Amino acid sequence: MRIDILTLFPELFPGPLGESIIGRAAKNGVISVNAVDVRQFAKDARGTVDEKPYGGGPGMLMIPEVLAEAVESVKGAKSTVILTSPRGEVMNQKLARELAKEEHLILVAGHYEGVDQRFIDLVVDREISIGDFVLSNGNIAAMAIADAVIRLLPGVLGDGESAVEESHSMGLLEYPQYTRPPVFRGVKVPELLLSGDHGKVAEFRKREAERITRERRPDLWEKYLIAELNKEVKK
């Protein structure tokens, strides 16, 4: 997969995307991440990329022509153009798996007050938000989206089960996990995990995942119950 991130701050990249698991994936040729400086497509010597909005209002809007040409400089026949936006569909694990099937993602990191709507209508395929809050710009959001997608690609994670059993992958939050020592500051690892009975361990982990999801994310718990009910109906 190739990911191009269009940004006004190319010096921020690769940043976290150049380290650890994602960094190794890039070195191994599994993924190619490239930062494109949007300002190089400005039409004046000052590098202007924003203008005041028609109709008045606070802030500045990114100029559609500049952004469009930046996208077109890297866009191919199989590219998907994504704009980071607080009004977009909310990023989740299902969406990450969907995007991981793409060959080329172009992530446009929004900035200022927003982006001219004509650029969104004519060039953007999807608007994606990473949550119900507002950041000063879309660079962190672009990094988060890229990270969530890249780690799902074949050959990125060392253990093939890692992406299967973690939070959200099965519709539940992840169960508690423990490692050595068996006793830490007076707190013992649950005895069942030391039993060697893999069936009982799996049951314990599922119960704990259900408990934590029910307590912490009732919205996810409701969706999980509906999904489980649908499975039973289809049997």
Side-chain angles (χ1 to χ4, degrees), residues 66-208:
V66 173
L67 284 176
E69 291 189 8
V71 169
E72 289 162 359
S73 72
V74 293
K75 187 177 182 180
K78 296 184 178 181
S79 302
T80 298
V81 182
I82 296 170
L83 173 67
T84 61
S85 167
R87 72 180 188 184
E89 56 187 311
V90 178
M91 187 68 182
N92 55 32
Q93 197 66 14
K94 179 182 178 182
L95 180 52
R97 287 194 295 266
E98 186 178 329
L99 295 178
K101 298 176 183 178
E102 302 288 345
E103 292 186 19
H104 181 208
L105 298 180
I106 300 174
L107 300 176
V108 182
H111 198 64
Y112 304 116
E113 184 63 25
V115 174
D116 188 295
Q117 184 63 40
R118 291 167 295 179
F119 168 75
I120 298 173
D121 294 340
L122 297 173
V123 181
V124 173
D125 296 309
R126 307 181 79 152
E127 292 181 75
I128 296 179
S129 167
I130 62 169
D132 296 333
F133 54 92
V134 180
L135 298 169
S136 58
N137 61 69
N139 290 287
I140 294 175
M143 289 182 186
I145 294 169
D147 187 290
V149 171
I150 293 170
R151 65 193 308 280
L152 295 178
L153 299 177
V156 174
L157 296 180
D159 184 347
E161 292 297 311
S162 295
V164 176
E165 295 193 357
E166 60 196 7
S167 289
H168 303 293
S169 293
M170 303 300 291
L172 296 170
L173 299 182
E174 191 173 19
Y175 48 80
Q177 299 202 65
Y178 303 85
T179 187
R180 298 185 180 186
V183 180
F184 172 64
R185 296 184 178 178
V187 180
K188 296 181 179 180
V189 172
E191 289 292 336
L192 193 149
L193 296 179
L194 306 176
S195 68
D197 189 325
H198 297 297
K200 290 184 178 179
V201 168
E203 291 176 3
F204 169 80
R205 287 175 169 172
K206 183 180 180 181
R207 287 198 306 271
E208 285 297 288

